[in-house]
Amino acid sequence: MNDLSVITKISVASMIKARVTVTLKNGVLDPQGKAIEHALDGLGFSGVGSVRQGKVFDLELEGTDKAKAEADLKAMCDKLLANTVIENYSVTIT
Amino acid sequence: MKSAVVVLPGLNRDRDMIAALTKIGGKPPLTIWQTDTEIPDVDLIVIPGGFSYGDYLRCGAIAARMPVMRAVAEKAAKGVMVIGVCNGFQILVEAGMLPGALMRNASLKFVCREVKLQVANANTAFTRSYSAGQIIRCPVAHHDGNYFADPETLARLEGEGQVVFRYAEGTNPNGSINDIAGIMNEGGNVLGLMPHPENLIEHAHGGSDGRGLFESVLGEQSRILTEA
């Protein structure tokens, strides 16, 4: 094991990985989801009741404090990652 | 009347806006760059259209969080007039300076054509050169102009006369709720609209219906300067 791999392992150990999922709120029209729904139907996937398109962000955060990471991630969502007028978000720390 | 135009990477209607303000206002506006944290003493700030920061994340989302927008918000709070056109409207909404959101067009297509606009409120600093209910021609060019607001916000906008422009005669190009094309804030000094009045101000454009907005804002003086 050389020095570089040791450094890599330390840095990985002190990182928190998180996934932020942003979806449209109920009642907000999603024309892209509708188009995908129609395309699926066209491919023969019958019985698709509805499709709603969203976004996924995978983040790596420095540190090991998961509670702080979660609070920071929620602040990031409120300030930038989601438009809370039309979108909901959820945060998962992995 | 001193005006300024915000210039950000990816905006592409800034020169059209500068030309319109110069021709109708009689002198060129100042330009403000993305990193400027202080804006000189002006009466009007215009955020033009385009694709700031490549429309990454959401249209206007990155621009709305640049330092210059904090400075614009401070000026607006002091009563300085602010106009956002197209991407400028998206930026104002993302910055929370106007309510609601601008979503992908219902057709999912980029629309680039002329629409009819109804002046829904002619009793504003932005529309006083028009008459109430007047129908004007105006070009649009956008992919995300589908205005949305929750029912309470919408009721407030409608009730307080904050809907300034509406798409008229079945020309709604994007599925906007209540045919909304442009709204202003409660204070009546911040306007956002998707259509491009700066692109219909002279004979060479094929019409001048967009002039009224600039004449309203720039005042009587501009009308004398631009008689012809």
Side-chain angles (χ1 to χ4, degrees), chain B residues 103-151:
Chain B
M103 303 179 47
R104 181 54 44 105
N105 293 346
S107 65
L108 296 176
K109 293 193 173 84
F110 189 99
V111 288
C112 183
R113 61 167 180 258
E114 186 176 297
V115 297
K116 298 266 174 63
L117 289 183
Q118 181 202 42
V119 181
N121 185 352
N123 188 25
T124 80
F126 306 102
T127 50
R128 55 192 170 153
S129 292
Y130 296 114
S131 52
Q134 187 178 343
I135 306 287
I136 61 169
R137 297 163 50 209
C138 204
V140 295
H142 60 252
H143 208 165
D144 298 75
N146 183 353
Y147 184 77
F148 175 86
D150 62 70

Side-chain angles (χ1 to χ4, degrees), chain B residues 25-92:
Chain B
K27 58 185 169 190
L30 304 171
T31 50
I32 311 168
W33 186 238
Q34 55 169 337
T35 47
D36 287 349
T37 50
E38 281 194 33
I39 295 173
D41 211 11
V42 293
D43 310 293
L44 169 70
I45 300 168
V46 183
I47 312 172
F51 305 85
S52 58
Y53 303 93
D55 280 348
Y56 291 167
L57 188 61
R58 297 178 303 274
C59 298
I62 307 293
R65 286 142 184 98
M66 293 306 289
V68 68
M69 285 309 297
R70 276 198 292 276
V72 171
E74 281 166 20
K75 287 285 183 189
K78 289 178 186 157
V80 172
M81 283 197 283
V82 177
I83 301 176
V85 169
C86 200
N87 196 207
F89 184 14
Q90 294 164 340
I91 293 168
L92 288 174

Side-chain angles (χ1 to χ4, degrees), chain A residues 4-6 11 21-23 26 29-30 36 51 54-55 58-60 71-72 74 77-78 90 92:
Chain A
L4 189 64
S5 66
V6 172
S11 73
T21 308
V22 175
T23 51
N26 289 335
L29 184 72
D30 180 11
I36 295 163
V51 178
K55 295 189 184 98
D58 286 328
L59 295 92
E60 291 184 0
D72 285 349
K74 285 183 176 168
C77 288
D78 285 326
S90 64
T92 316

